[in-house]
Amino acid sequence: MAPLVNAEHQRRKPAWQRCAPGGPDAIGPGLVRTAQVIEDTRIAAVSFMDHYFQIGGVGSADAPMLEGYTALGFMAAHTTRARLGLLVTGVTYRYPGLLAKIVTTLDVLSVGRAELGLGAAWNEREHRGLGVPFPPLAERFERLEETVQICRQMWSDNNGPYTGKHYQLDETLCSPRPVSTPHPRILIGGGGERKTLRLVAQYANACNLFAQSPQAIEHKLNVLRRHCQDVGRNYDDIVKTILYVGDGLRSGDHDRFLRDMEEYARLGVTEVGVMPALERAEDWILMHCAPLVPELAAIG
């Protein structure tokens, strides 16, 4: 099982100190230190949330929030191994053709370490606040499907037009091509049983689910298996990843965390993402992630 780290972090201090201890001029150096720890501990991947306002549960809306792909580009320059992606890209925030170019650029400059995580987006306040259209949920899922189709076409040998309900492209030209072969991994996040997991079965290389319990994950994966059967997809070709939301790491109970991971691994989960919980993410990774990397690898 490969460990991932989500570089956004939850705190219990006021929003500013939680999200940017030391002020804005400390954010960059802090990420450099975090990148070095990720390199040293052989963490498999680093991700950021794709938001423009800070989200509830982490801080107030006016607390610091970095733009995700710019931050990943910064991390690409300070790492050499870890995969880089957003968990997950809000489909409403970028035109699909431009998104394909953004992810391709990240992939080229990181020498094949980018992935495209996608979701239907949900934060209405930041959409309204920054003037980004926020269509109804059904339309956002339509746009999500078209976005995946466009990115896959741009990463293929087909440079021709794309005509969809919401997007029309005269040319799906993408040069340079991604370094990743055949293209950056496409991950769709979310556990919606009727739409999200169907899109995973149809298009994605990986899924990401909130790990509320092994029983809940088992149910979601059974739903995904049925969607794969319906669309003629090999279920085993899809990488199963989770975002761990249990108390094992936050409480410092590493044995409990590893027991949880054994349960998820038996269900076919091969990657786990965790969210640093202290002011200095690098300290949290060293304390809670580094000692567990070998044991997670042994779980399989």
Side-chain angles (χ1 to χ4, degrees), residues 179-228:
V179 174
S180 298
T181 55
H183 55 68
R185 185 172 83 169
I186 297 172
L187 176 150
I188 294 178
E193 297 180 13
R194 188 168 63 90
K195 293 184 177 181
T196 304
L197 294 178
R198 178 186 64 81
L199 292 174
V200 171
Q202 285 186 284
Y203 300 109
N205 308 112
C207 65
N208 184 264
L209 301 165
F210 284 101
Q212 296 173 320
S213 71
Q215 294 75 22
I217 293 297
E218 183 175 23
H219 171 72
K220 297 295 184 182
L221 292 179
N222 284 335
V223 172
L224 175 60
R225 191 188 301 272
R226 290 195 294 272
H227 282 304
C228 287

Side-chain angles (χ1 to χ4, degrees), residues 221 235 238-241 263-271:
L221 292 179
Y235 170 82
I238 299 170
V239 178
K240 290 80 177 176
T241 82
E263 291 293 321
Y264 290 120
R266 278 195 283 270
L267 298 174
V269 173
T270 57
E271 298 177 9

